[in-house]
């Protein structure tokens, strides 16, 4: 399992589906394959461009190859971001760290005492779970509906600003990305280096969170985590199971 994970990690880190390249124009308007190769060399200078499944040459749903590449890049960036949040959240929750206030108006505390992160999720009420799922669903909808779509000239990985779209019926003081404007004065070179780091960290985080869950469900499946995480008898793919 460990060897397979390491091999897969090498392949994944060299895959060409990466954040926006140095050029400001989008992949849907530039040569998608050229963008992929340029970013692949930066994200992994050892393997560089490596696409054994030839995903970079396919097309989906009647779109062009460049538009398909934009879709795949957006997918990897988004899943990497979710995995980074999940990986950090898993570690935080595993150490009993939680907000000090109650989780509901009746004074119910956060379920930090329920056990591991999956067990804490199981301990949530269905109403709380629906709030989380619907909020994530709203972000997903807004990323597709707001701004210029990444398959139609937009930039893969760029989340639309709440202040620009006109889709939210009331003012939103902060944007999801860089809410305090810390990145607006960074140089283009620094921004592009940050995107490469985000891509590689996201790939590593996907393996990290899957490793945690795998070891909890099948003890010994991830030898490096044996004894570090507790066994979980629940069903991680059934959010409303108890």
């Amino acid at each position: 399992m460990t060897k397979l994970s390491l091999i897969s990690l090498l392949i994944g880190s060299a895959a060409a589906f990466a954040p926006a390249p140095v050029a400001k124009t989008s992949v849907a308007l530039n040569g998608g394959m050229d963008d992929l190769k340029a970013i692949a060399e930066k994200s992994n200078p050892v393997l560089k461009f490596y696409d054994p499944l030839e995903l970079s040459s396919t097309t989906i749903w009647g779109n062009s190859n460049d538009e398909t590449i934009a879709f795949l890049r957006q997918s990897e960036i988004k899943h990497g971001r979710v995995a980074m949040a999940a990986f950090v959240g898993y570690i935080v929750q595993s150490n009993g760290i939680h907000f000090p206030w109650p989780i509901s108006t009746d004074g119910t505390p956060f379920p930090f005492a329920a056990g591991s992160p999956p067990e804490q999720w199981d301990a949530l009420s269905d109403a709380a779970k629906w709030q989380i799922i619907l909020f994530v669903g709203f972000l997903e909808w807004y990323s597709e509906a707001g701004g210029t779509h990444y398959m139609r000239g937009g930039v893969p990985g760029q989340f639309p600003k709440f202040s620009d779209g006109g889709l939210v019926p009331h003012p939103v003081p902060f944007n999801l990305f860089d809410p305090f404007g810390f990145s607006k004065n960074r140089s283009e070179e620094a921004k592009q280096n940050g995107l490469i780091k985000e891509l590689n960290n996201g790939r590593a985080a996907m393996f990290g969170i899957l490793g945690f869950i795998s070891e909890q469900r099948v003890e010994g499946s991830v030898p490096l985590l044996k004894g570090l995480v507790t066994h979980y008898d629940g069903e991680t793919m059934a959010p409303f199971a108890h």
Side-chain angles (χ1 to χ4, degrees), residues 23-226:
K24 291 184 179 180
T25 51
S26 75
V27 67
L29 300 180
N30 270 346
M33 184 66 72
D34 293 338
D35 291 340
L36 292 179
K37 291 180 178 179
I39 295 303
E41 290 187 7
K42 293 182 179 180
S43 62
N44 192 317
V46 178
L47 291 180
K48 300 181 180 180
F49 182 76
Y50 185 64
D51 182 21
L53 298 180
E54 299 184 353
L55 294 176
S56 59
S57 60
T58 190
T59 58
I60 55 175
W61 305 318
N63 291 285
S64 68
N65 177 246
D66 282 350
E67 292 166 343
T68 300
I69 288 174
F71 172 83
L72 294 170
R73 285 177 54 189
Q74 168 76 8
S75 297
E76 185 188 29
I77 295 168
K78 177 170 61 178
H79 283 86
R81 289 170 177 169
V82 171
M84 285 189 281
F87 183 81
V88 174
Y90 188 101
I91 294 174
V92 169
Q93 290 180 240
S94 294
N95 285 277
I97 301 172
H98 60 91
F99 293 115
W101 53 80
I103 195 173
S104 62
T105 54
D106 62 5
T108 302
F110 281 85
F112 63 94
S116 66
E119 292 167 322
Q120 292 179 42
W121 171 267
D122 290 341
L124 290 173
S125 65
D126 285 352
K129 293 177 180 178
W130 274 117
Q131 289 180 51
I132 295 171
I133 292 172
L134 290 174
F135 176 68
V136 173
F138 162 76
L139 295 179
E140 175 69 9
W141 166 78
Y142 195 85
S143 70
E144 295 290 326
T148 304
H149 197 270
Y150 50 85
M151 294 177 69
R152 301 293 182 264
V155 180
Q158 187 176 80
F159 195 88
K161 294 182 178 179
F162 291 127
S163 55
D164 293 346
L167 297 174
V168 181
H170 56 78
V172 180
F174 302 107
N175 290 308
L176 180 65
F177 172 74
D178 195 23
F180 303 107
F182 293 146
S183 298
K184 64 180 181 180
N185 294 324
R186 297 178 66 195
S187 66
E188 283 301 314
E189 181 181 4
K191 290 180 180 179
Q192 296 306 321
N193 288 337
L195 289 174
I196 297 298
K197 293 176 182 177
E198 179 190 40
L199 176 66
N200 285 333
N201 289 337
R203 289 166 174 168
M206 284 189 270
F207 281 97
I209 189 60
L210 287 174
F212 281 140
I213 300 301
S214 296
E215 178 61 25
Q216 280 201 268
R217 294 286 285 131
V218 182
E219 294 183 45
S221 60
V222 185
L224 292 176
L225 295 177
K226 188 174 183 179

